[in-house]
Every structure is written in C-alpha cells, then in structure tokens.
C-alpha cells in the first residue's frame, strides 16, 4: 500500500468520475471481485449496500487510478475492507478519528461505514487520492466523513481527535511522530500492522514515551468474526500527547522548501539566467 512520504512527491492526476473509471477498468479485464462474505452484513448492518459499492469502486476506479493493485481485487473484502472495519471494536461511542495517509480510504471509510456515530477525517496529501475520496464520500452519502488534503504535521493545532488510525503508511516510530500530536488528552493511535508489529513496537518504545504515550500493546480485533484477525498496535496517550513542537518545525521546513521552489520556478520562467 501507499506511504505518505512517497505520495507527497508525485503529481496529482486529472479528476475522473468513479463510475466512468470503473467501466474503463472492467473493459481492461481487471480481476474479478469476489462477492461479499456473509459476515459483511453483520459488520456493516444498515450500511452493507454502501460497503458493497465502496468495494466495487476500489476494484474499478481504485485499480485504474493506481490506488489498489490489480492482484488485490479478488481479496478486497477479506484482506482490506473487513480487515479494516473491525477496528470499530476499539472506538468509543461518538468519538472523532483521523485516518492519516488515508490513500484509498483504508481504514477510514470501512470504519466510518461500520460506525456511523464516529466522525472520521480522511487526511491524505496527494491530490488524485483526495479527489477519489471526495467522490466516494459523495456517492456513498457518508455524512460522518470529511476529506482533507495535507500532511499530519500541517494539521497540528488545527485538528485534534480522540483516535488516529493508519495502515501501511510508515514504520511505527515515524508514524507516531505524525499521529501523536493530533491526539486529544488520553486519545489513542491505532496502527494496523502485520508480522512486524511486535518488533516495531519494541524498537519504538523510547520514542513513544517521549511523545507522551503511557501504554502500548499489540492486540487482535475481529476474532470470531474474521478467519484471520487484524493485528493492531494500540498506543494510548496520557494527559499531554507530545511531538507538537517537532511536528510544527517539520511543517515550517516543508512550507519553506515549497516557497523556495516556487520562487526558483518564477525566476526560471521569467527568463534565462545570465552566465559568465
């Protein structure tokens, strides 16, 4: 899946309607999407039909735009949509959530479908991805979802949430530096990880303490619901989540770099530089 750093440097693509993109992908003989497993009705309840439509958009427009690999299509339900939706088990009622580096909307959109009481912000730096996310949110009528284009460090002081989620965005130590500053006191960060979960957590303990974390563990969700449960690194913040100053410095440095690049571009467009 995508990383926030890699995404930031790529140019955005022109807007494409998800339905039209889906037709083009189907015409290109994309792999066949498996039918929704019976457990999906239990997980999504009244929003089951919306979950089906989202999965169809991932399999069509998502593949065409490069947000989902074609080989993932047959296993979208088990490996991606349901794998993310079971995070809903860990969310307090009426909480706010920011999905950092949301990409194609995983895990944010499945969580929002499974938990309409949770207010979800999909945070993504790349234009073509936010365009896709906005179109999906409109088509599915997800009133509890907001799409923001930007980096996590740029949202410090502007966005504060109870829960930060991320999936396949970055190693845990780097992810914590982005996510912890966005948490309210006693909030939690939920990072979907695979076999590397324990090792990443062991390598990140010192950094987590500096970032205001007071408790952390690797847990499994979806047991008894999914054939393979989802492994999550859960990091709980204390009274004062940290990393705010460092995130602010990174955001300022990034803005300065962009401004310098813009000035260089203006000088180049204004005429050739004189050389001796």
């Amino acid at each position: 899946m995508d990383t926030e750093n890699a995404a930031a440097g790529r140019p955005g693509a022109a807007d494409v309607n998800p339905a039209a993109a889906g037709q083009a992908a189907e015409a290109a003989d994309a792999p066949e999407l498996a039918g929704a497993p019976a457990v999906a009705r239990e997980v999504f309840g009244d929003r089951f039909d919306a979950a089906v439509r989202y999965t169809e958009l991932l399999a069509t427009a998502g593949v065409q735009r490069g947000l989902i690999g074609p080989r993932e299509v047959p296993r979208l339900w088990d490996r991606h949509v349901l794998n993310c939706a079971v995070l809903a088990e860990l969310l307090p009622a009426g909480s706010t959530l920011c999905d950092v580096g949301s990409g194609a909307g995983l895990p944010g959109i499945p969580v929002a479908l499974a938990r309409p009481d949770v207010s979800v912000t999909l945070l993504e730096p790349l234009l073509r991805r936010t365009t896709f996310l906005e179109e999906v949110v409109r088509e599915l009528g997800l009133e509890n979802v907001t799409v923001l284009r930007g980096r996590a460090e740029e949202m410090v002081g502007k966005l504060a949430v109870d829960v930060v989620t991320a999936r396949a965005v970055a190693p845990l130590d780097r992810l914590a530096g982005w996510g912890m500053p966005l948490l309210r006191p006693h909030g939690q960060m939920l990072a979907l990880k695979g076999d590397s979960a324990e090792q990443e957590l062991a390598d990140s303990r010192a950094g987590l303490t500096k970032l205001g974390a007071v408790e952390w563990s690797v847990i499994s969700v979806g047991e008894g619901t999914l054939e393979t449960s989802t492994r999550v690194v859960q990091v709980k913040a204390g009274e004062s989540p940290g990393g705010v100053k460092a995130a602010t410095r990174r955001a300022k440095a990034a803005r300065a770099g962009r401004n310098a690049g813009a000035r260089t571009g203006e000088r180049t467009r204004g005429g050739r530089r004189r050389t001796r």
Side-chain angles (χ1 to χ4, degrees):
M1 298 296 287
D2 309 310
T3 65
E4 188 174 24
N5 278 357
R10 291 188 233 162
D15 293 350
V16 182
N17 180 274
Q23 293 169 2
E26 290 170 350
D29 295 325
E32 184 177 352
L33 172 65
V39 71
R41 289 187 179 274
E42 175 186 339
V43 171
F44 293 109
D46 293 343
R47 288 187 163 184
F48 170 74
D49 288 343
V52 170
R53 181 58 185 145
Y54 172 57
T55 308
E56 291 172 348
L57 290 171
L58 289 178
T60 53
V63 170
Q64 190 203 36
R65 300 189 194 188
L67 305 182
I68 294 290
R71 293 182 181 179
E72 296 302 308
V73 171
R75 52 189 181 182
L76 275 175
W77 278 109
D78 293 336
R79 183 166 179 167
H80 299 284
V81 177
L82 288 169
N83 177 268
C84 291
V86 292
L87 274 183
E89 298 176 13
L90 303 177
L91 305 181
S95 55
T96 55
L97 180 151
C98 179
D99 186 27
V100 173
S102 192
L106 299 165
I109 289 180
V111 168
L113 287 166
R115 288 289 301 274
D117 64 304
V118 174
S119 297
V120 175
T121 297
L122 307 178
L123 182 61
E124 167 58 47
L126 193 62
L127 175 60
R128 65 186 175 89
R129 293 177 184 157
T130 55
T131 298
F132 173 80
L133 293 173
E134 288 168 349
E135 293 168 352
V136 170
V137 168
R138 283 196 300 270
E139 178 160 343
L140 301 185
L142 296 179
E143 296 181 357
N144 61 324
V145 179
T146 300
V147 179
L148 286 181
R149 185 183 178 201
R151 297 175 179 275
E153 54 263 38
E154 297 170 340
M155 298 298 128
V156 175
K158 302 175 184 177
L159 181 67
V161 295
D162 302 310
V163 182
V164 166
T165 58
R167 182 177 189 256
V169 171
L172 184 62
D173 55 352
R174 195 186 316 161
L175 175 62
W178 296 337
M180 294 294 288
L182 298 179
L183 289 176
R184 291 174 176 159
H186 306 294
Q188 61 176 330
M189 184 178 73
L190 304 174
L192 280 74
K193 294 289 183 179
D195 295 337
S196 66
E198 283 85 357
Q199 187 60 54
E200 285 194 48
L201 185 55
D203 294 341
S204 304
R205 291 175 187 268
L208 292 175
T209 300
K210 292 179 181 179
L211 289 168
V214 296
E215 186 179 340
W216 47 77
S217 60
V218 177
I219 59 177
S220 294
V221 291
E223 294 182 339
T225 301
L226 306 181
E227 290 187 10
T228 302
S229 59
T230 300
R231 292 166 60 78
V232 180
V233 176
Q234 183 181 48
V235 179
K236 296 183 178 181
E239 180 65 31
S240 302
V244 173
K245 291 182 179 179
T248 302
R249 287 196 298 270
R250 291 197 301 272
K252 289 182 178 178
R255 284 196 297 270
R258 288 195 295 269
N259 291 339
R263 288 193 295 269
T264 300
E266 289 172 0
R267 288 196 298 268
T268 302
R269 289 192 298 271
R272 293 184 180 178
R273 294 183 180 180
R274 297 171 64 184
T275 57
R276 295 181 180 179

